[in-house]
Amino acid sequence: MKTIEKLIAGGLAAMMLFACACTKGPESAVPTEKIDGSSLYVKKVENMPDDFILGMDASSVITEEQSGVRYYNFAGVEQDVFRTLAENGVNTIRVRVWNDPYDEDGRGFGGGNNDIDKAVEIGKRATAVGMKLLVDFHLSDFWADPGKQMVPRAWANMSIEEKTNATYDYVKDCLKKLKKAKVDVGMVQIGNETNGSLCGETTWFNIQYLMQAGSKAVREVFPEALVALHFANPEKAGSYEDYAKKLSYYSVDYDVFASSYYPYWHGTLDNLASVLSNIAKTYNKKVMVMETSYAYTAEDSDFSGNTIGEGGTFAKDYPFSVQGQANLVRNVIDTVVNKTENGIGVVYWEGTWITVGHESFEANSALWQKYGSGWASSYASGYDPNDAGKYYGGCAVDNQAMFDPYGKPLESLRVFNLVRYGNEVEVKADALEDVTLFSNINSRIELPETVNAIMTDDSRQPVPVTWNVTDAELENMASKLSSYEIAGDADGLTAHCFLNVIEFNFLENPGFESGELSPWRITEYGRADELYVEDKITDSKTGQFHMHFWSAAKNSVDFRLEQPVAGLEAGTYKYSISIMGGDAGDTEIYAYVLVDGVEVGRAEMEITVYNEWHTGTVTGIEVAEGQTLTVGICVKCAGEGNGAWGKIDDAMLNSMN
Ligand code: CA
């Protein structure tokens, strides 16, 4: 291909290195000493073996370079990105391999257009600077993950026997190409995030044939390399144990049980250590983290939305900062080294995948389409219509890279070197924790005087904050049910307070959602054939529970339902409760309020027909210090025919101060 020719012609220095590699063996660029002068705080990971795998998935580098991306070293000089990775402690490059990521007209699917030729190219460059290659066979024509494991088009109509043979032949052929190119292959994974499906197969009985076939090919071509199997979702209780047990049952020949670990979704590091250790001990396997990453910024830089940014309902245990990114990586490494049995490595995904341009979506899109440097091009639509076909575009992880949008390495890249030695520079505030505040409507809003600073060593420390809001603005905010974001200054950083002005409810179990009656109680129980908390979402005003009553005979519903509330602050309150029902005949239904046992307010109510809710509200309830308020509903129905029935729900006691 023209583009590759151009790249090689332009990379004369790299060519010379390959030449050296062929004759004398590569000279490693991975340092054996600590890099001096970094501002990054890194707590040393104790007990780290020299050969611990510190990997970087760099699958998209070639298409990035074809798209015009230039990579630099810390001195600001343009340099082979694999050398820069090696110089900062990365000792393994991971690369994905798809069988045939091109359409009928030879147009790339994107995501780096990673076929075996790309892997050879990347492998040669990694080997030239002393790093090993970790080959990641997806056994698909495009992305394979827990959501999809599509069979390569050429294998679509094969029986499992044919597919097994094809896997063996394909993996063997690919590995031979790497061997011929003198690539230093350290590990090969058969399948990517194979949570119970692989290559279009969805039974372990079939999957294990494919894994066996791939493993056999690895043993034959690279007998020194480790065979890895790779899974995701360690947080799903029992799932890894289940996979490992099946692999053992089928006697699948592998060395490494590997896991993805994305802290936003994959549970705690302690859990990860626990599930991996269990497998290491039970099945005598090596274990590792095959993919991890963290955002250094919430900003997108390529006009194509990111997986992780501001907002979202994922766990965010570290700040989105260069230091936060490094701390996550350091802690994952520490977990695998010191808390996990037989832990052999951690690979970052994908620190070199940055924006291809800075002008516009259209300009970038043209490059993604032409060179395959986005996560998917439109040419993948035919193969993957439901995902790539709908959402094709740029890079969704450019804010998790370890290079900035202009190709300069971030200080966090040095974590791969510094974890071995520690770099405990002076600790300072790196980011501020957001504050979430709930304030009762019409009450004075009390903003906190300090916020927690997240320090560079991952500790927390309170620092004084000045909120950028006036008293008049706060008073105005307090008068409406709404949500606000208030900014503040603390230690030179910007603090954020997410303020929610809500109606507090001083009642417990106000909508019977505990499924129990308590602390409500039935008083003056005259009669009702049925009177209980009912679990029926269709008959509830909100939630799934409510109080149900029914009687067959005429004039047979008569009860009071109430809840005492002690310890209220002195002030003015309002109370409301809702009811629906029917077949009632003459009724006497009302919400009531007692203060120290004496009725001080009442709101008449009625029941009419199904699903027509009526709310009784008592306002202006004055409560003095030490008084007990009791709120309730009285229901008396002189029902005709089938008797009365009804549902009571959603009581509210709120301050009017
Ligand atoms: Ca992006």
Side-chain angles (χ1 to χ4, degrees):
M1 273 214 262
K2 269 209 171 71
T3 46
I4 289 177
E5 284 162 16
K6 203 161 63 182
L7 177 81
I8 292 172
L12 192 57
M15 288 282 281
M16 288 165 70
L17 271 168
F18 299 157
C20 288
C22 299
T23 50
K24 294 189 297 188
E27 199 152 310
S28 179
V30 183
T32 51
E33 288 178 2
K34 178 179 171 177
I35 295 169
D36 284 332
S38 176
S39 59
L40 195 70
Y41 182 97
V42 181
K43 187 159 187 261
K44 183 183 177 186
V45 172
E46 303 289 345
N47 313 310
M48 215 165 132
D50 287 344
D51 63 351
F52 191 81
I53 295 166
L54 293 171
M56 177 67 76
D57 194 309
S59 297
S60 40
V61 160
I62 290 176
T63 51
E64 288 280 280
E65 290 170 341
Q66 289 169 342
S67 302
V69 168
R70 296 288 170 263
Y71 295 100
Y72 300 85
N73 63 16
F74 275 102
V77 177
E78 191 176 339
Q79 173 172 296
D80 178 62
V81 66
F82 293 95
R83 173 166 290 275
T84 305
L85 294 170
E87 283 175 352
N88 289 285
V90 174
N91 59 24
T92 294
I93 294 297
R94 180 174 183 250
V95 64
R96 57 181 164 269
V97 178
W98 292 315
N99 290 37
D100 180 18
Y102 294 90
D103 74 2
E104 302 70 35
D105 300 318
R107 298 175 299 191
F109 286 177
N113 293 347
N114 286 101
D115 55 11
I116 187 59
D117 293 339
K118 289 275 190 319
V120 168
E121 203 64 34
I122 287 169
K124 280 158 71 176
R125 289 172 64 181
T127 301
V129 287
M131 298 191 287
K132 287 186 184 297
L133 193 71
L134 196 172
V135 188
D136 169 18
F137 286 108
H138 284 226
L139 298 182
S140 182
D141 285 342
F142 207 36
W143 297 104
D145 55 45
K148 56 181 180 189
Q149 294 280 345
M150 289 183 295
V151 63
R153 284 157 297 172
W155 299 1
N157 298 316
M158 288 185 177
S159 67
I160 184 63
E161 290 77 15
E162 291 167 331
K163 211 189 269 184
T164 301
N165 291 334
T167 298
Y168 171 77
D169 291 341
Y170 170 72
V171 172
K172 189 159 186 175
D173 182 54
C174 288
L175 294 179
K176 278 178 167 173
K177 285 180 179 167
L178 289 162
K179 182 132 203 167
K180 194 174 168 211
K182 295 190 161 51
V183 173
D184 187 2
V185 174
M187 194 185 304
V188 180
Q189 60 175 101
I190 306 301
N192 187 76
E193 294 190 331
T194 49
N195 286 6
S197 59
L198 173 62
C199 197
E201 299 298 329
T202 53
T203 66
W204 278 99
F205 185 72
N206 285 353
I207 291 167
Q208 56 96 14
Y209 282 123
L210 305 179
M211 289 178 165
Q212 295 276 31
S215 175
K216 184 165 180 276
V218 181
R219 300 294 189 212
E220 288 173 7
V221 183
F222 285 106
E224 304 294 312
L226 295 172
V227 174
L229 302 176
H230 173 204
F231 306 90
N233 304 104
E235 80 287 3
K236 282 193 182 157
S239 63
Y240 279 18
E241 171 60 26
D242 182 48
Y243 305 149
K245 195 183 275 179
K246 292 197 166 85
L247 294 167
S248 173
Y249 176 81
Y250 289 114
S251 302
V252 174
D253 173 25
Y254 74 106
D255 307 301
V256 185
F257 189 103
S259 176
S260 290
Y261 179 72
Y262 292 104
Y264 327 104
W265 311 305
H266 289 164
T268 64
L269 280 170
D270 285 346
N271 176 68
L272 176 76
S274 163
V275 295
L276 289 182
S277 294
N278 179 40
I279 284 155
K281 282 185 288 196
T282 309
Y283 302 98
N284 190 28
K285 296 296 173 189
K286 296 175 167 64
V287 296
M288 68 181 288
V289 168
M290 192 58 96
E291 294 181 15
T292 191
S293 71
Y294 204 77
Y296 74 88
T297 174
E299 303 289 320
D300 172 59
S301 60
D302 75 343
F303 310 99
S304 184
N306 292 337
T307 319
I308 297 297
E310 289 293 5
T313 53
F314 49 84
K316 186 184 157 190
D317 292 337
Y318 303 84
F320 287 168
S321 66
V322 171
Q323 181 69 57
Q325 184 184 45
N327 283 347
L328 175 277
V329 172
R330 183 264 166 207
N331 287 350
V332 174
I333 294 169
D334 186 51
T335 297
V336 176
V337 171
N338 287 309
K339 296 177 182 164
T340 309
E341 295 286 327
N342 303 348
I344 62 162
V346 172
V347 180
Y348 195 87
W349 196 86
E350 293 198 27
T352 51
W353 201 356
I354 60 176
T355 182
V356 293
H358 309 278
E359 299 304 320
S360 65
F361 172 85
E362 289 71 22
N364 284 2
S365 183
L367 296 167
W368 301 327
Q369 289 286 99
K370 186 170 181 189
Y371 298 111
S373 45
W375 87 268
S377 74
S378 65
Y379 310 126
S381 302
Y383 181 60
D384 181 17
N386 295 327
D387 195 3
K390 285 181 186 156
Y391 309 112
Y392 65 87
C395 178
V397 292
D398 47 295
N399 64 330
Q400 302 189 58
M402 286 191 165
F403 289 79
D404 78 7
Y406 296 89
K408 303 213 172 55
L410 300 174
E411 204 61 29
S412 47
L413 183 60
R414 298 206 141 140
V415 72
F416 296 106
N417 171 265
L418 296 176
V419 280
R420 293 184 186 275
Y421 312 98
N423 195 51
E424 301 193 12
V425 293
E426 192 189 347
V427 173
K428 54 183 194 203
D430 180 45
L432 300 173
E433 280 186 353
D434 292 339
V435 177
T436 301
L437 195 66
F438 293 91
S439 187
N440 193 16
I441 188 159
N442 296 324
S443 295
R444 193 183 134 79
I445 295 169
E446 310 251 11
L447 296 174
E449 290 175 3
T450 62
V451 291
N452 269 341
I454 304 165
M455 310 305 284
T456 45
D457 68 350
D458 200 28
S459 66
R460 305 291 190 270
Q461 199 168 297
V463 291
V465 59
T466 310
W467 297 106
N468 304 326
V469 65
T470 65
D471 286 349
E473 283 168 338
L474 279 180
E475 223 167 281
N476 191 35
M477 288 175 183
S479 67
K480 292 193 280 286
L481 294 175
S482 189
S483 296
Y484 307 91
E485 185 179 342
I486 302 170
D489 302 314
D491 214 5
L493 298 166
T494 301
H496 298 274
C497 176
F498 296 93
L499 169 68
N500 304 282
V501 176
I502 58 164
E503 272 191 302
F504 271 163
N505 196 344
F506 293 97
L507 299 177
E508 285 179 51
N509 196 19
F512 308 95
E513 293 302 311
S514 74
E516 308 280 328
L517 184 63
S518 170
W520 293 95
R521 60 195 187 197
I522 306 295
T523 60
E524 299 182 24
Y525 180 42
R527 199 176 159 187
D529 293 350
E530 292 177 356
L531 184 60
Y532 51 80
V533 174
E534 186 177 44
D535 179 358
K536 195 173 180 187
I537 198 163
T538 48
D539 286 1
S540 297
K541 186 161 186 281
T542 61
Q544 75 179 67
F545 293 92
H546 56 266
M547 189 74 188
H548 159 86
F549 64 87
W550 174 79
S551 271
K554 184 180 175 182
N555 197 19
S556 61
V557 172
D558 180 3
F559 66 90
R560 284 159 77 97
L561 169 71
E562 64 183 40
Q563 179 174 151
V565 189
L568 287 172
E569 276 182 34
T572 311
Y573 292 82
K574 70 174 178 189
Y575 162 66
S576 61
I577 193 163
S578 295
I579 190 170
M580 73 143 165
D583 299 333
D586 293 335
T587 62
E588 186 183 358
I589 302 175
Y590 58 88
Y592 62 85
V593 177
L594 316 177
V595 172
D596 283 347
V598 178
E599 186 172 314
V600 298
R602 181 183 280 210
E604 299 296 336
M605 301 167 73
E606 59 176 341
I607 50 178
T608 47
V609 293
Y610 180 74
N611 226 6
E612 194 168 275
W613 288 89
H614 302 270
T615 302
T617 304
V618 180
T619 60
I621 307 160
E622 298 292 340
V623 179
E625 196 77 34
Q627 287 184 316
T628 294
L629 196 68
T630 302
V631 298
I633 183 167
C634 172
V635 182
K636 288 181 187 172
C637 306
E640 303 286 346
N642 288 332
W645 63 272
K647 318 281 176 179
I648 298 167
D649 207 355
D650 286 6
M652 161 73 88
L653 177 66
N654 180 247
S655 160
M656 296 176 73
N657 299 334

